[in-house]
Amino acid sequence: MNLVESLKFALRALTAHRTRTFLSASGIAIGIAAVILLTSIGAGIQRFVLSEFTQFGTNIVNITPGKTRTRGASTGSISSVRLLTIEDSLALKSSRHAVYTNATVTGNAEVRGNGRSRRVTVYGQGPDFDRAFNMHTVIGQFLPADDPRNPRAFAVLGAKVHKELYGSTNPLGSVLQVGGSRFRIIGVMAAKGQVLGFDLDDTVYIPTARALEIFNREGVMEVQVVYPPATPLDEVMQDIKRIMIKRHGREDFTITPQQQMLSTLSTVLNVLTFAVAVLGGISLLVGAVGMITLMHITVTERMAEIGLLNALGATPMRIRILFLLESTALSTLGGVVGLLTGSGIAGLLGILVSDLPISIPWRYVIAALLLSGIIGLAAGVVPAIRAARLNPVDALRAE
């Protein structure tokens, strides 16, 4: 028997017991489908989360007050933290790598306009905020480049606030009361939707200095620096550190690049995707156990056939190959069915559930298919050796 004849022989053995073959292959198929489905959802969520973060750009550095990492014998962060101010943001404009700088203050306040009121998130931002974070207005303009220390009382509405307070009416020129202060509306932002649970449309944007007054704060919560994408990050951070230390006299601030946050987040999400792949692999392991059991039963049931093969001159090596081909073909069949089933369900979920991010990670798919082939070989090794070692006379007597 050559290899082709051996393969035909193995396939005939599988088709002779269709129900048993179907049930055994189903175990592998379910395992492969589970790996594909779970990793597709995991990889889709990873891409979704990363896209949510990167829609504002990746060439951003965040500066926050306080030093989060300590050295030497210190038992914690520096207790007397110098606040970040609007002046710090203005000083950072002198960096040779700074394209935009922005000082941010965030709070929650009740706003009133057009006879209606609503409690929203109020952002104190600088005039470069819209360009720094790829935000756009659909009506009017964003905050103008006034004196950052004493800006005019202008406000820009988020899309949802505009709809809730003014409906389809043009709000430009209307007076909006934020807390106890009055602002003139000069623009409406384009709809942005929710980003990781934060509704960017249910917001009002006012100048940073005005937000400090409303929320009774002395310093800003964060300063962002946008740098050219091609600039080395280390150079950007060193220049920012130099300017800030010159102003503060020491390093009492923390610099966090957006790229670092994305790298950390990507690592965590990769671990989660691998974890769900392992969970799917448990189903594959269960299918492997079922296949090993089947191959052992097959040897017992086909002892007479094995004896006949020996009597006709089949060598122990040929008998081992026959059983290995049979188990490999069985696992490959299950793997292909699992691949088609898992990919089909994943694609169907992506169509039916529009909010569910689906992305098939083919590296896990290929790994699962290779694993199914290895399982087939492993499942057939011991039974094949056992079959090859049977005494022809004893095997022929078995019925």
Side-chain angles (χ1 to χ4, degrees):
M1 297 174 69
N2 56 31
L3 183 61
V4 175
E5 291 174 338
S6 299
L7 183 59
K8 289 181 179 179
F9 185 90
L11 292 176
R12 280 197 298 270
L14 294 178
T15 54
H17 302 86
R18 289 185 176 86
T19 302
R20 188 171 64 187
T21 299
F22 170 76
L23 293 175
S24 182
S26 295
I28 298 295
I30 292 172
I32 296 290
V35 171
I36 293 174
L37 191 58
L38 289 174
T39 54
S40 296
I41 295 175
I45 292 174
Q46 178 180 6
R47 291 180 61 180
F48 171 76
V49 172
L50 291 178
S51 67
E52 292 287 279
F53 270 93
T54 56
Q55 65 175 302
F56 303 111
T58 57
N59 53 319
I60 302 171
V61 174
N62 301 310
I63 302 102
T64 51
K67 184 65 176 172
T68 58
R69 284 179 290 184
T70 59
R71 298 177 182 176
S74 176
T75 57
S77 301
I78 298 173
S79 59
S80 56
V81 176
R82 181 172 176 177
L83 300 174
L84 293 180
T85 62
I86 295 175
E87 284 74 18
D88 289 326
S89 177
L90 295 175
L92 288 170
K93 285 182 179 290
S94 64
S95 170
R96 64 183 184 276
H97 301 304
V99 178
Y100 303 113
T101 64
N102 182 70
T104 298
V105 179
T106 306
N108 196 271
E110 185 176 3
V111 298
R112 296 184 181 87
N114 195 32
R116 301 173 181 175
S117 65
R118 183 177 182 82
R119 195 159 193 88
V120 301
T121 302
V122 177
Y123 287 98
Q125 304 287 9
D128 292 331
F129 169 78
D130 58 332
R131 288 168 290 182
F133 290 90
N134 300 320
M135 305 283 279
H136 306 283
T137 56
V138 290
I139 303 176
Q141 66 176 57
F142 196 68
L143 302 172
D146 290 341
D147 179 0
R149 302 168 189 82
N150 188 29
R152 287 172 288 179
F154 288 148
V156 178
L157 306 181
K160 188 173 184 179
V161 175
H162 169 226
K163 181 179 179 180
E164 294 293 333
L165 297 184
Y166 294 92
S168 58
T169 305
N170 190 329
L172 299 186
S174 301
V175 174
L176 180 75
Q177 185 170 339
V178 182
S181 303
R182 294 161 63 88
F183 292 81
R184 185 74 61 182
I185 299 174
I186 61 170
V188 176
M189 302 300 293
K192 202 69 174 175
Q194 292 195 358
V195 176
L196 302 179
F198 296 96
D199 193 346
L200 296 182
D201 296 331
D202 200 15
T203 57
V204 171
Y205 299 92
I206 61 175
T208 303
R210 298 284 180 173
L212 289 173
E213 296 174 0
I214 291 175
F215 299 124
N216 194 27
R217 291 181 60 96
E218 295 182 7
V220 300
M221 300 171 69
E222 189 176 70
V223 174
Q224 300 94 16
V225 176
V226 179
Y227 59 92
T231 306
L233 180 58
D234 290 340
E235 292 184 14
V236 176
M237 294 179 63
Q238 288 298 325
D239 208 34
I240 291 173
K241 186 181 294 186
R242 175 185 60 81
I243 294 171
M244 292 298 294
I245 290 177
K246 184 177 179 180
R247 284 187 53 80
H248 288 212
R250 58 178 176 170
E251 192 177 345
D252 59 351
F253 51 87
T254 298
I255 302 174
T256 308
Q258 185 87 331
Q259 290 182 9
Q260 179 182 319
M261 291 189 291
L262 289 174
S263 177
T264 302
L265 182 62
S266 181
T267 301
V268 172
L269 293 174
N270 279 330
V271 171
L272 291 177
T273 303
F274 177 76
V276 296
V278 171
L279 290 177
I282 294 175
S283 300
L284 194 58
L285 181 61
V286 173
V289 173
M291 181 177 291
I292 293 172
T293 303
L294 170 68
M295 294 306 299
H296 275 282
I297 294 173
T298 299
V299 172
T300 302
E301 290 182 346
R302 294 165 59 188
M303 288 183 67
E305 180 183 331
I306 295 168
L308 181 59
L309 287 171
N310 275 319
L312 292 174
T315 64
M317 175 61 73
R318 178 58 58 185
I319 294 174
R320 282 196 292 268
I321 290 174
L322 288 175
F323 277 87
L324 287 176
L325 284 175
E326 186 175 331
S327 61
T328 303
L330 184 60
S331 63
T332 302
L333 175 64
V336 171
V337 173
L339 171 62
L340 297 176
T341 304
S343 301
I345 295 175
L348 189 62
L349 284 175
I351 295 173
L352 298 179
V353 187
S354 58
D355 294 333
L356 181 64
I358 295 293
S359 175
I360 299 177
W362 292 105
R363 65 182 184 277
Y364 285 109
V365 174
I366 294 172
L369 287 175
L370 290 175
L371 183 58
S372 68
I374 293 172
I375 287 172
L377 286 172
V381 167
V382 175
I385 293 174
R386 179 186 167 200
R389 288 177 176 174
L390 288 175
N391 184 284
V393 177
D394 293 337
L396 283 170
R397 289 174 179 171
E399 287 292 341

